[in-house]
Amino acid sequence: MADNLSDTLKKLKITAVDKTEDSLEGCLDCLLQALAQNNTETSEKIQASGILQLFASLLTPQSSCKAKVANIIAEVAKNEFMRIPCVDAGLISPLVQLLNSKDQEVLLQTGRALGNICYDSHSLQAQLINMGVIPTLVKLLGIHCQNAALTEMCLVAFGNLAELESSKEQFASTNIAEELVKLFKKQIEHDKREMIFEVLAPLAENDAIKLQLVEAGLVECLLEIVQQKVDSDKEDDITELKTGSDLMVLLLLGDESMQKLFEGGKGGVFQRVLSWIPSNNHQLQLAGALAIANFARNDGNCIHMVDNGIVEKLMDLLDRHVEDGNVTVQHAALSALRNLAIPVINKAKMLSAGVTEAVLKFLKSEMPPVQFKLLGTLRMLIDAQAEAAEQLGKNVKLVERLVEWCEAKDHAGVMGESNRLLSALIRHSKSKDVIKTIVQSGGIKHLVTMATSEHVIMQNEALVALALIAALELGTAEKDLESAKLVQILHRLLADERSAPEIKYNSMVLICALMGSECLHKEVQDLAFLDVVSKLRSHENKSVAQQASLTEQRLTVES
């Protein structure tokens, strides 16, 4: 075979130049045969022969053997070591031109060749996008949707190109959504549907395409799949149910597509999603709760949903997952409740519906995602709700768990939310009993550490809570404030030019409040606060400058 192959390559060099069609066709057939028998070895010989450079001239629209040449390129480009040589031989540009052919075999082999050359190379795929292949391929999909092999080629290409961010804008300017939904409706085979799903998922990350897919009727297809597959225990059906419901949730992440499907809470899609929550299928429960969390990204939607009994449905769902429950369902249901609790008008309604009690059942959870959402939900619920904040703040089990989570160094989100909830319990309740509970549980040191956070909002929440502690229960907290080195931290915050104006302001308010404690007062005197504070009298922020004058007077009088 080796001798034959060498002869074929030599002959091909000659015939490629003088373009003797019969000999050329014969040589190309021999090459394809050799590639079918031993692709790697044949590819190496093709590369060594320098024949690749001649292929570009055989890929013109006038050439009668362009389909066979494209087929050979597709075969050799299955080998990673051949891809760069194909690029260096200048094959990409003539192949892209051939995508305008009317011949289905030419289109198929050209698509395969481009796909194999650019496989796994973001830079080459980006080059194809810049050469405008996306609109061409979308058009091809529409024209040749009866040709299974061509359709598959287009889908593979879309799957690869859709991973690149730069492709999304081009896809959005075509009618890809319409074509894919049309194709999807016709597919019965699981494998073909899976291929379409693999293209839809990355495309649906783009908000403009999300809306196009909704308008093209994808949601109705997905709801139908869910209905068909929900009771099946076949592996393929379970996979399809998961993929379909996940994609549905993804479509709801776009503001416009979400509002279009909500339809003021009367939309068929929204109603269907509601029916997933009481289902016995975990995947549907999860998708239903996530969908509600997405619908709840808008205050109007939240108010409507709470008024129409969604909270009770979510609480029932949580109840079913308290003991050894499904963590993803717990997380999703808590996410939905957290979002629903954001509008002020919903807080009291949700509190009286018993949401805090439902949420507190998960205090024993060891799963950080569940802990994180649980904390966020409670923090939203007690915002400006003094009575609820006091009730929770006196709950020793909760406060002890918060103090424990404030040390969850491996989970920054849980640690941050625990600190914020501790601070919120004090700020919203303004209750001496809450402060005493937090002092007894060892929470003071965490609030002092929180004042040094890199997030201004958290620093500020900590300083306001500490000022309330100093104003209401200084005697109870002074030992903890002293051992947490609060005074030194305040000195550092005031001296640091990068500290935000509100941080400087609240630090000075807190210094004045600490003067009632003998040991803390002494620390303030020892640290020469007067120098730092007097500099702030000329601060550009009026509130900071005024507070600096007041603080300076207080320090002078009490020195």
Side-chain angles (χ1 to χ4, degrees), residues 373-537:
K373 287 297 175 188
L374 172 151
L375 293 163
T377 308
L378 292 176
R379 188 166 63 80
M380 284 303 152
L381 281 170
I382 63 163
D383 192 3
Q385 306 294 312
E387 200 181 317
E390 181 161 12
Q391 212 179 338
L392 281 177
K394 291 192 291 192
N395 179 330
V396 177
K397 266 193 184 145
L398 168 66
V399 174
E400 283 176 350
R401 194 71 160 131
L402 291 183
V403 170
E404 186 189 323
W405 286 340
C406 282
E407 289 167 11
K409 299 229 175 352
D410 295 342
H411 302 286
V414 172
M415 196 163 85
E417 275 293 346
S418 304
N419 278 300
R420 292 190 77 181
L421 183 53
L422 262 190
S423 150
L425 292 170
I426 296 168
R427 288 183 295 112
H428 298 304
S429 70
K430 300 184 176 57
S431 152
K432 292 183 171 203
D433 290 340
V434 169
I435 293 169
K436 283 177 188 163
T437 307
I438 289 173
V439 171
Q440 281 155 10
S441 305
I444 296 295
K445 63 181 179 190
H446 297 299
L447 290 170
V448 174
T449 305
M450 183 182 169
T452 64
S453 164
E454 59 196 35
H455 305 291
V456 173
I457 193 163
M458 284 177 67
Q459 277 187 297
N460 216 28
E461 288 171 357
L463 291 169
V464 172
L466 289 164
L468 282 165
I469 292 169
L472 298 170
E473 273 297 324
L474 187 55
T476 313
E478 67 177 349
K479 288 275 178 288
D480 287 2
L481 293 170
E482 186 183 13
S483 63
K485 305 205 170 5
L486 174 62
V487 175
Q488 287 98 310
I489 285 169
L490 292 173
H491 189 276
R492 214 163 55 233
L493 290 174
L494 287 171
D496 189 346
E497 285 175 11
R498 291 163 304 177
S499 292
E502 58 268 42
I503 301 302
K504 290 188 186 295
Y505 177 87
N506 283 323
S507 296
M508 288 187 283
V509 169
L510 185 48
I511 286 294
C512 294
L514 295 175
M515 304 299 261
S517 153
E518 207 175 306
C519 57
L520 295 169
H521 186 169
K522 187 178 180 319
E523 278 192 50
V524 171
Q525 284 182 313
D526 292 349
L527 269 174
F529 265 83
L530 262 173
D531 301 348
V532 185
V533 172
S534 58
K535 281 182 193 157
L536 293 174
R537 276 190 331 191

Side-chain angles (χ1 to χ4, degrees), residues 167-363:
S167 74
K168 305 285 201 299
E169 215 168 295
Q170 268 200 37
F171 273 119
S173 66
T174 69
N175 62 337
I176 182 81
E178 214 177 304
E179 293 298 351
L180 288 175
V181 173
K182 210 158 51 181
L183 194 63
F184 193 82
K185 284 176 178 168
K186 287 193 302 199
Q187 293 306 334
I188 305 160
E189 292 170 56
H190 169 76
D191 293 349
K192 294 285 191 318
R193 277 182 167 180
E194 276 299 298
M195 277 188 87
I196 302 172
F197 272 138
E198 277 169 27
V199 180
L200 287 169
L203 285 179
E205 286 166 11
N206 176 279
D207 282 356
I209 300 174
K210 277 188 185 82
L211 187 58
Q212 290 170 10
L213 289 168
V214 167
E215 287 171 342
L218 178 61
V219 173
E220 288 70 16
C221 297
L222 298 176
L223 289 173
E224 207 173 303
I225 283 179
V226 168
Q227 207 168 345
Q228 288 166 2
K229 314 289 179 187
V230 67
D231 297 319
S232 170
D233 48 12
K234 287 201 323 219
E235 204 173 313
D236 282 356
D237 290 347
I238 293 167
T239 305
E240 226 170 290
L241 176 75
K242 177 173 169 27
T243 314
S245 52
D246 283 349
L247 187 52
M248 176 85 194
V249 171
L250 185 57
L251 292 175
L252 292 173
L253 277 171
D255 288 338
E256 277 189 86
S257 50
M258 178 267 284
Q259 279 307 88
K260 193 172 178 65
L261 294 171
F262 190 66
E263 290 182 73
K266 302 199 171 33
V269 173
F270 172 64
Q271 295 302 327
R272 191 83 73 88
V273 163
L274 276 187
S275 72
W276 293 355
I277 292 175
S279 144
N280 289 321
N281 183 301
H282 280 182
Q283 175 57 34
L284 275 199
Q285 294 171 358
L286 170 65
L290 287 173
I292 296 302
N294 285 340
F295 281 128
R297 294 200 322 278
N298 164 307
D299 280 6
N301 295 1
C302 287
I303 294 163
H304 176 90
M305 288 193 278
V306 168
D307 287 346
N308 284 276
I310 188 67
V311 170
E312 289 70 15
K313 285 188 170 70
L314 288 166
M315 280 163 45
D316 287 347
L317 177 60
L318 275 176
D319 236 20
R320 295 163 69 182
H321 288 278
V322 175
E323 299 303 326
D324 310 319
N326 182 306
V327 172
T328 53
V329 175
Q330 293 171 357
H331 178 259
L334 289 166
S335 295
L337 287 170
R338 181 200 171 279
N339 289 0
L340 290 166
I342 293 172
V344 177
I345 194 169
N346 281 356
K347 297 180 197 295
K349 292 175 186 171
M350 290 175 72
L351 287 165
S352 62
V355 173
T356 43
E357 293 76 4
V359 169
L360 286 172
K361 289 177 185 170
F362 294 90
L363 257 190

Side-chain angles (χ1 to χ4, degrees), residues 4-59:
N4 285 351
L5 184 56
S6 302
D7 291 344
T8 300
L9 289 167
K10 276 180 199 159
K11 196 171 172 188
L12 187 54
K13 268 190 173 177
I14 298 161
T15 51
V17 175
D18 61 21
K19 296 198 172 52
T20 319
E21 294 217 353
D22 291 347
S23 314
L24 197 53
E25 294 272 352
C27 292
L28 294 171
D29 286 337
C30 288
L31 267 193
L32 281 167
Q33 221 174 339
L35 283 163
Q37 285 166 359
N38 189 332
N39 191 312
T40 311
E41 194 184 320
T42 307
S43 296
E44 284 168 349
K45 289 225 161 60
I46 288 173
Q47 188 190 357
S49 72
I51 200 88
L52 279 179
Q53 275 66 20
L54 297 175
F55 280 171
S57 66
L58 301 176
L59 288 170

